[in-house]
Amino acid sequence: MSINFKILIAAALFDLFATIVFGQTFSTPIQVSTDSGAHSPAMHTGRDGTIYVSWFENNADIYFSHSTDAGTSFTPPVHVSKQVTTNNYTSLLQRAPNFAVDTKGVIHLVWMEARIPNAQSDIWYARSTDDGATWTPPQSIMDAGDSSRFAQDFPAIAIDSTNNLYVCYIDNRYLMRGLIPHYKLQLERSTDGGETWLNPVIADKLPFSDAGTCECCRDDIAVSPEGHVYIAFRTSMTEGTSDMRDIFIARSMDSGMTFDSSIQCQLGDWNLTDCPTKGPQIALDGNENLHVAWADARDDFSGKLVSYYSLLRRADTSVFPNYSISSGNLPYSEWPDVAIGPDGTIAYAYTVSGPNLFSYSSDGGNTWHRSLPLPGGSGDAQTIPALAFDPSGNLFVAWEDINNNGAIYFSKITSLQSAQASAAITLFNKDSYLTRTPLTLSWSRPVRLNAADFVWYNISLTAAGTSISETVRDTSFAFDSLPEGQYTLAVAAYSILGKLDSVSGIFSIQSPASVSEPEALEDEAYPDPVTNGVLAIETTESGKQLLTVVDSKGNIVKKVSLIPNGGRVELDVLGLPAGAYTCEIMGKPPRHIRFIIP
């Protein structure tokens, strides 16, 4: 699949593993589970502030507990359901006993249960009318079109304001019938509180007719009060020799009866021929903006799992550029969760090697506070965090501690502070350019913004017969092989809060023979040849310098922004092969420095 614009992921934005950040504090963790083997928690709160937690034990025994004192204590765990079979994959990966609480306080719970070892699995349902003390017998919600040969997996549940139930899951009946080579995403509804279920509707509508969903990645569902349905899922779309395992959003504006074309959320393909077992989590805010959390190891990020955030505004058909919550320097980051508070605060937690990490935004996702570790259970060996706000704005987190054969822990997060509003933007490089291709144009980051502010730039380049539009997170973009002529460049800066500012400029592209060599402006570089891997450049400029290194064939091999120190910048060229290079320093006009690596 081709994407209309390329997202350039910014460098690491957070100082990870801090112990105290912006005054956030955590209550002392308490253990909710009592038996060994507890794993895969889910957590939600009721309208009265009651905190509910569910989890698996062993293969698929489901347990449930709740707290009526803001998490100070929890009731003894209740055994909701005993596993139907001993199939050991029933509760692995990201599977969890998912539930939702309706307006009457009734708890509706769904999970996948393997009925025949290593073969079919169904979606099962149970409910409780007494805060989880007792439960109805489990029942399969599968339709008459299902059979013992077809499997379902990864259910998620949501409820609208009139207590209609919505359950999404992946289904392999179309694969088993030989119709398409993948699973499909389905939605089932109940309009009578779970007594009966309507026939399933296919929810994913993807660019390829034979495309489907990832066979081992969770999906998640959110429903607005009036019944607008949003489902986030990972695809499996075969193109060439690899499958694209990208995050998409299915949306229905008529209570799940029909679905629009699925909207791509992951703006950087992840191509692989195996199942990544990484799925998304979503949450709707009061304005029906959909907030999406997921992890991927997209092709241009060296295979490292990074946790991302993005936003789909109500009625929009495209998402905001992907924002890396975790650092690309981490070996991996996965199992993210996202929750929205009553005041619009966005909470985000994810798993790394060691403690789970937590970040939040109090301005709609524009500014994110630095990530910090959640309080530990035994040995800080944590995974699968689950977040929930109560109606008063208190934020809670539950997680699985993988030491001591598994346990479910809980903590309250307090002292969240508001982020400062972003200032107005100032963009530079507005004057005319006279240059030749390849051409790298640059501009400044908006002034007085925090390093973690979510800012991106829409670039428009127009001329007679030429129109280029790009969206980038970096403050520069390289244009290759532009024909001669006069161009108009427009750069608009955006944040989640809206458009910040825009600037435009006019420049010309001329043939190399008609373009004079740029002035050196007293720049000097040494040593030449470069024998120690560092090219020192003396400069009279004081601000940030954007340097682009081009090899003898015109290929850009390095691009970096450096701030002069004592009138000098040091360019790291270690690792570049022997040859002749040109270093272009952006400015008015730009300067070229030639050097050799022996």
Side-chain angles (χ1 to χ4, degrees):
M1 174 192 302
S2 62
I3 299 177
N4 292 330
F5 49 86
K6 179 181 180 181
I7 302 302
L8 301 179
I9 302 302
L13 300 177
F14 299 105
D15 179 14
L16 301 178
F17 300 104
T19 55
I20 299 294
V21 179
F22 295 110
Q24 299 136 322
T25 58
F26 304 92
S27 65
T28 301
I30 63 173
Q31 187 170 334
V32 179
S33 61
T34 56
D35 299 328
S36 62
H39 61 281
S40 305
M43 180 173 61
H44 298 285
T45 60
R47 293 191 170 195
D48 61 356
T50 301
I51 306 167
Y52 303 98
V53 181
S54 64
W55 65 91
F56 282 127
E57 291 187 8
N58 303 312
N59 287 337
D61 282 0
I62 300 173
Y63 284 82
F64 198 89
S65 181
H66 74 273
S67 171
T68 57
D69 55 12
T72 301
S73 62
F74 279 82
T75 60
V78 172
H79 196 177
V80 176
S81 175
K82 182 174 177 60
Q83 60 190 25
V84 177
T85 71
T86 58
N87 193 309
N88 63 6
Y89 76 84
T90 298
S91 62
L92 299 180
L93 302 178
Q94 306 164 87
R95 299 178 179 95
N98 288 294
F99 65 94
V101 185
D102 70 20
T103 62
K104 299 178 181 179
V106 179
I107 306 166
H108 304 266
L109 187 146
V110 293
W111 69 100
M112 184 276 283
E113 184 73 75
R115 197 164 62 204
I116 301 172
N118 299 316
Q120 186 204 7
S121 57
D122 280 355
I123 306 305
W124 293 74
Y125 164 81
R127 65 180 174 272
S128 172
T129 59
D130 54 9
D131 281 338
T134 61
W135 293 82
T136 59
Q139 69 176 77
S140 170
I141 70 170
M142 297 320 302
D143 61 294
D146 182 39
S147 76
S148 60
R149 295 184 298 113
F150 306 144
Q152 293 77 38
D153 208 344
F154 296 103
I157 185 170
I159 303 175
D160 65 22
S161 60
T162 57
N163 293 330
N164 294 313
L165 309 183
Y166 304 80
V167 175
C168 65
Y169 55 86
I170 62 172
D171 186 292
N172 81 343
R173 71 184 69 186
Y174 310 98
L175 170 65
M176 297 301 293
R177 290 170 179 166
L179 300 178
I180 64 170
H182 304 292
Y183 281 63
K184 295 294 285 183
L185 179 69
Q186 295 202 148
L187 175 78
E188 282 194 42
R189 296 183 298 140
S190 174
T191 59
D192 56 10
E195 291 289 343
T196 61
W197 295 85
L198 302 176
N199 285 333
V201 174
I202 294 177
D204 60 303
K205 293 187 176 181
L206 295 163
F208 306 133
S209 60
D210 63 348
T213 66
C214 177
E215 66 275 16
C216 55
C217 298
R218 72 181 174 192
D219 45 72
D220 196 23
I221 187 169
V223 179
S224 71
E226 59 268 50
H228 298 161
V229 181
Y230 298 82
I231 307 173
F233 62 100
R234 189 176 292 283
T235 62
S236 181
M237 298 188 291
T238 303
E239 185 179 37
T241 59
S242 297
D243 284 349
M244 285 179 292
R245 305 290 181 147
D246 298 345
I247 302 297
F248 274 71
I249 298 167
R251 179 172 60 189
S252 169
M253 305 304 284
D254 58 5
S255 298
M257 291 185 287
T258 62
F259 279 83
D260 303 332
S261 296
S262 300
I263 300 169
Q264 187 166 9
C265 181
Q266 180 180 320
L267 304 179
D269 287 337
W270 188 6
N271 292 275
L272 70 164
T273 55
D274 199 0
C275 180
T277 71
K278 307 288 183 291
Q281 293 286 85
I282 57 177
L284 281 173
D285 65 22
N287 296 318
E288 204 174 315
N289 299 315
L290 185 73
H291 303 262
V292 190
W294 76 97
D296 72 62
R298 59 191 57 183
D299 300 339
D300 59 353
F301 219 95
S302 303
K304 293 182 179 179
L305 279 168
V306 176
S307 290
Y308 290 96
Y309 162 84
S310 194
L311 173 71
L312 175 67
R313 284 182 169 168
R314 178 176 180 170
D316 279 358
T317 56
S318 61
V319 300
F320 282 62
N322 301 168
Y323 183 55
S324 54
I325 294 290
S326 67
S327 168
N329 295 322
L330 293 171
Y332 75 92
S333 167
E334 58 186 349
W335 313 144
D337 192 25
V338 63
I340 311 295
D343 64 350
T345 298
I346 309 167
Y348 193 112
Y350 54 99
T351 294
V352 296
S353 178
N356 291 321
L357 296 181
F358 164 76
S359 184
Y360 71 98
S361 171
S362 52
D363 61 2
N366 183 61
T367 304
W368 288 84
H369 294 296
R370 291 180 296 168
S371 297
L372 78 160
L374 291 170
S378 56
D380 287 346
Q382 304 168 345
T383 188
I384 311 181
L387 295 166
F389 284 92
D390 69 10
S392 299
N394 297 308
L395 176 59
F396 311 105
V397 60
W399 66 90
E400 173 189 339
D401 187 300
I402 60 179
N403 284 339
N404 300 323
N405 200 23
I408 305 302
Y409 278 84
F410 169 90
S411 181
K412 179 179 179 180
I413 303 173
T414 61
S415 302
L416 298 182
Q417 295 184 355
S418 297
Q420 296 181 352
S422 298
I425 186 174
T426 299
L427 290 176
F428 303 130
N429 292 341
K430 294 189 289 186
D431 297 335
S432 298
Y433 294 87
L434 184 65
T435 186
R436 51 187 156 184
T437 56
L439 169 66
T440 299
L441 300 177
S442 65
W443 50 91
S444 75
R445 184 176 173 81
V447 297
R448 297 190 300 279
L449 291 184
N450 295 325
D453 282 4
F454 190 4
V455 180
W456 68 96
Y457 309 92
N458 286 350
I459 307 169
S460 175
L461 185 67
T462 57
T466 301
S467 179
I468 300 174
S469 179
E470 297 285 347
T471 300
V472 299
R473 285 290 311 278
D474 205 353
T475 55
S476 66
F477 190 81
F479 297 94
D480 295 326
S481 303
L482 292 176
E484 294 185 41
Q486 183 169 295
Y487 291 82
T488 298
L489 171 72
V491 179
Y494 289 85
S495 75
I496 283 182
L497 303 180
K499 185 175 180 179
L500 298 174
D501 195 14
S502 63
V503 293
S504 62
I506 297 175
F507 66 94
S508 298
I509 297 294
Q510 298 183 9
S511 65
S514 62
V515 179
S516 60
E517 192 69 26
E519 298 178 20
L521 295 183
E522 301 182 20
D523 286 346
E524 296 182 0
Y526 54 88
D528 188 17
V530 181
T531 56
N532 60 356
V534 176
L535 178 68
I537 303 172
E538 301 288 347
T539 178
T540 58
E541 299 282 350
S542 59
K544 181 184 290 187
Q545 304 285 289
L546 177 66
L547 287 73
T548 302
V549 179
V550 180
D551 64 16
S552 58
K553 296 180 180 180
N555 299 315
I556 297 176
V557 296
K558 191 177 187 68
K559 184 166 61 175
V560 65
S561 293
L562 299 174
I563 297 176
N565 183 10
R568 186 174 81 167
V569 295
E570 293 187 348
L571 177 64
D572 182 3
V573 294
L574 187 65
L576 294 180
Y581 296 87
T582 300
C583 175
E584 181 183 49
I585 306 174
M586 291 305 301
K588 295 177 283 189
R591 291 93 70 198
H592 291 90
I593 295 174
R594 293 184 174 87
F595 64 94
I596 295 174
I597 298 178

